[in-house]
Amino acid sequence: MVTVYSNMRSPPMVYFLLLYVAGVCPKPTIRNERVHQDPELSDQVHEDAENFQYDHEAFLGKEEATTFDQLTPEESVERLGKIVERIDDNQDQYVTTDELKAWIKRVQKRYIYENVAKVWRDYDLNKDNNISWEEYKQATYGYYLENPEEFQDAADQLSFKKMLPRDERRFKAADLDGDMVATREEFTAFLHPEEFEHMKEIVVFETLEDIDKNEDGFVDEDEYIADMFAQEEGATEPEWVKTEREQFSDFRDLNKDGKMDNAEIRHWILPEDYDHAQAEARHLVYESDKNKDKRLTKQEILDNWNMFVGSQATNYGEDLTRNHSEL
């Protein structure tokens, strides 16, 4: 952790830098956990014969689903109709399984977009609703770059020197059109790369960079253990560490060469588990597709509104008036 200097004067950029360093704002180069798994869509039992609570929470998000209790069936159907128009991404008047899956994933990850919305103004310095690399660099590293003499600690200097090129590399990976100006979606990918398919290689690379202390391009067993446990000289390893060593041998090092390569690191930190959103999207389409053409019209969805929203609704009434780029 970089030291926060309390005696600094704090113009806006400095203040934001201090928040950034202290961990208040999202910090792309620090990871709290290595393994990223998608959680269940709902804690409810998925049993349609009993109720559609699982489907409601999957389709709307848990917190949003609870507010539908305050709406009449007529209001629920009306709002569902507006939601359907947003799900139909290509506006061809049909909702496909892929569009429904994308919607479910987006709703389930809503907190990520809300997080980005909260910090957006701190980075968008010229208020053009985009964030350039230069804006991000100024907002995050400007004070350090202009006043390096105030960062006397060698560890602080090293941290900044490592973070800046690392963030630039990630920014370039998120910037799909290569103009070094991030849209809201690109900036979300920058701050939360594990949630975007095209960013997963950079997540793997950064993990390797963090753990590979001998810089041979692999993670061996000792490096894997050192990332989670600091061994004191002469101390006995606890049982959980011994278990992790077995995990490394049995499940991490797939080709049994004593180390993890990029593919094995990806298998570890980004496991390809059961796709809950895909399964739920297929379920909703199957149950609502009256003519069995494997896609849904707006009317087919509204006819089966009880499965999608039922007697519950969401704050999508408010949501529909918000900036849709935040969702």
Side-chain angles (χ1 to χ4, degrees):
M1 178 64 69
V2 180
T3 304
V4 176
Y5 292 88
S6 60
N7 61 343
M8 291 182 184
R9 291 177 295 173
S10 298
M13 294 305 101
V14 179
Y15 174 71
F16 187 71
L17 173 62
L18 299 183
L19 290 179
Y20 178 93
V21 170
V24 176
C25 292
K27 186 174 181 307
T29 52
I30 294 296
R31 309 207 61 79
N32 294 321
E33 296 181 3
R34 296 292 181 196
V35 181
H36 303 280
Q37 291 178 301
D38 286 335
E40 289 277 358
L41 303 179
S42 169
D43 296 331
Q44 303 294 322
V45 176
H46 197 182
E47 181 52 73
D48 290 346
E50 298 295 326
N51 60 63
F52 297 128
Q53 188 64 24
Y54 180 97
D55 299 300
H56 299 163
E57 293 186 4
F59 181 71
L60 299 166
K62 185 174 182 179
E63 293 183 7
E64 287 72 21
T66 59
T67 62
F68 257 82
D69 290 330
Q70 303 171 26
L71 298 182
T72 65
E74 292 77 16
E75 289 173 324
S76 296
V77 171
E78 180 183 358
R79 296 193 184 192
L80 175 59
K82 294 178 181 178
I83 294 172
V84 172
E85 292 170 6
R86 293 174 55 192
I87 297 173
D88 180 16
D89 192 53
N90 62 4
Q91 299 298 301
D92 67 350
Q93 309 306 308
Y94 293 98
V95 170
T96 65
T97 300
D98 285 344
E99 286 174 328
L100 198 49
K101 173 185 172 181
W103 169 264
I104 291 170
K105 281 185 172 290
R106 196 170 184 84
V107 166
Q108 293 293 323
K109 303 295 185 183
R110 182 173 180 168
Y111 69 93
I112 290 174
Y113 292 92
E114 290 176 344
N115 170 274
V116 172
K118 288 177 182 177
V119 302
W120 183 263
R121 276 189 250 175
D122 293 314
Y123 295 108
D124 182 14
L125 304 183
N126 66 2
K127 309 306 176 188
D128 67 347
N129 206 33
N130 289 291
I131 295 171
S132 69
W133 166 247
E134 289 303 319
E135 284 179 303
Y136 176 81
K137 183 171 71 171
Q138 177 62 29
T140 308
Y141 299 101
Y143 190 82
Y144 164 73
L145 294 172
E146 293 169 7
N147 304 276
E149 68 283 355
E150 295 198 29
F151 294 80
Q152 299 297 328
D153 188 273
D156 293 351
Q157 291 277 354
L158 181 61
S159 293
F160 279 109
K161 287 178 180 178
K162 289 178 65 176
M163 286 192 297
L164 180 54
R166 181 162 167 156
D167 281 355
E168 184 173 11
R169 182 179 61 215
R170 187 190 287 192
F171 195 96
K172 288 178 178 178
D175 178 29
L176 292 177
D177 59 8
D179 63 356
M180 292 303 282
V181 177
T183 63
R184 193 175 292 263
E185 190 74 2
E186 288 172 332
F187 196 66
T188 302
F190 170 67
L191 290 182
H192 301 276
E194 66 280 354
E195 305 295 343
F196 293 80
E197 188 61 36
H198 70 282
M199 295 294 291
K200 290 186 176 179
E201 287 306 312
I202 203 77
V203 176
V204 172
F205 185 85
E206 289 177 2
T207 302
L208 177 63
E209 188 177 51
D210 289 341
I211 304 176
D212 179 23
K213 300 305 181 185
N214 63 10
E215 299 182 352
D216 66 347
F218 300 92
V219 173
D220 61 34
E221 182 179 313
D222 288 338
E223 289 170 331
Y224 172 76
I225 295 299
D227 186 53
M228 62 185 76
F229 174 69
Q231 177 71 54
E232 295 182 8
E233 188 175 351
T236 303
E237 283 186 350
E239 285 300 317
W240 72 266
V241 174
K242 295 178 182 178
T243 300
E244 282 296 336
R245 289 191 181 278
E246 294 173 1
Q247 289 280 319
F248 182 90
S249 177
D250 295 341
F251 303 109
R252 309 290 180 241
D253 177 20
L254 300 177
N255 63 6
K256 309 305 176 188
D257 65 351
K259 55 193 176 185
M260 285 193 289
D261 57 22
N262 281 28
E264 289 166 326
I265 292 171
R266 176 166 179 152
H267 186 269
W268 163 42
I269 64 173
L270 299 166
E272 295 183 3
D273 293 333
Y274 180 73
D275 193 331
H276 300 285
Q278 176 77 16
E280 178 64 10
R282 286 175 175 172
H283 170 65
L284 292 173
V285 170
Y286 177 81
E287 294 295 336
S288 307
D289 183 17
K290 290 182 178 179
N291 63 3
K292 302 305 175 186
D293 64 351
K294 299 183 179 180
R295 57 184 183 176
L296 301 179
T297 63
K298 181 177 181 179
Q299 192 58 50
E300 283 177 321
I301 293 174
L302 296 182
D303 287 345
N304 198 27
W305 71 277
N306 195 45
M307 173 171 278
F308 288 86
V309 296
S311 61
Q312 298 182 351
T314 175
N315 58 3
Y316 274 80
E318 169 192 342
D319 221 16
L320 292 166
T321 65
R322 291 167 50 187
N323 184 346
H324 291 178
S325 63
E326 296 179 12
L327 236 193

